[in-house]
Amino acid sequence: MIIQTVYKGVRFRSRLEARWAVFFDSLGVIWQYEKEGFKFDSSGTYLPDFFLPDLGYWIEIKGKDPTEAEIAKLSALSAETKCKAFLFYGDIPEAALDVGTDSAIC
């Protein structure tokens, strides 16, 4: 079940997306949620979850394994915008949540 969540005045379509926003904030990474939509001839319309402007990265969040169509849209986004695009799926790894220690974050 997807639960819409509000964080910093932004209504996220899922709690997982909001958790990633909190994680980005904990790292001091500036993020924009659903900044811009795209229409691709090959894979249809696409609204990526996050853009990290200081890094020039698009981030897509999925709760489960992505489909081939979702991967194709992300690939088209990267080609169109000339920015790197990443797909994160599943929960945020526990090691990544422990930002205040010497743990490696990969």
Side-chain angles (χ1 to χ4, degrees), residues 7 17 21 25-26 30 32-34 37 42 54 60 76 84 93 95:
Y7 171 68
E17 291 171 349
D25 281 346
S26 73
I30 296 170
Q32 297 170 336
Y33 181 68
E34 294 187 341
S42 60
D54 291 348
E60 180 66 27
K84 290 186 178 182

Side-chain angles (χ1 to χ4, degrees), residues 5-13 18 21 31-34 50:
T5 303
V6 176
Y7 171 68
K8 286 191 159 182
V10 176
R11 180 175 302 280
F12 292 88
R13 294 177 192 249
W31 52 269
Q32 297 170 336
Y33 181 68
E34 294 187 341
F50 290 97

Side-chain angles (χ1 to χ4, degrees), residues 8-75:
K8 286 191 159 182
V10 176
R11 180 175 302 280
F12 292 88
R13 294 177 192 249
S14 74
R15 184 170 287 165
L16 182 58
E17 291 171 349
R19 290 183 66 219
W20 276 101
V22 171
F23 178 68
F24 293 144
D25 281 346
S26 73
L27 296 176
V29 174
I30 296 170
W31 52 269
Q32 297 170 336
Y33 181 68
E34 294 187 341
K35 171 187 181 319
E36 182 178 354
F38 297 88
K39 182 168 174 46
F40 303 116
D41 291 337
S42 60
S43 57
T45 59
Y46 184 45
L47 182 61
D49 294 322
F50 290 97
F51 183 67
L52 311 182
D54 291 348
L55 301 171
Y57 293 167
W58 295 101
I59 307 292
E60 180 66 27
I61 306 298
K62 296 292 177 193
K64 56 182 173 53
D65 292 351
T67 65
E68 290 297 322
E70 290 167 338
I71 293 169
K73 286 182 180 185
L74 199 65
S75 180

Side-chain angles (χ1 to χ4, degrees), residues 23 27 95-106:
F23 178 68
L27 296 176
L97 296 174
D98 194 9
V99 233
T101 69
D102 293 334
S103 300
I105 299 174
C106 300

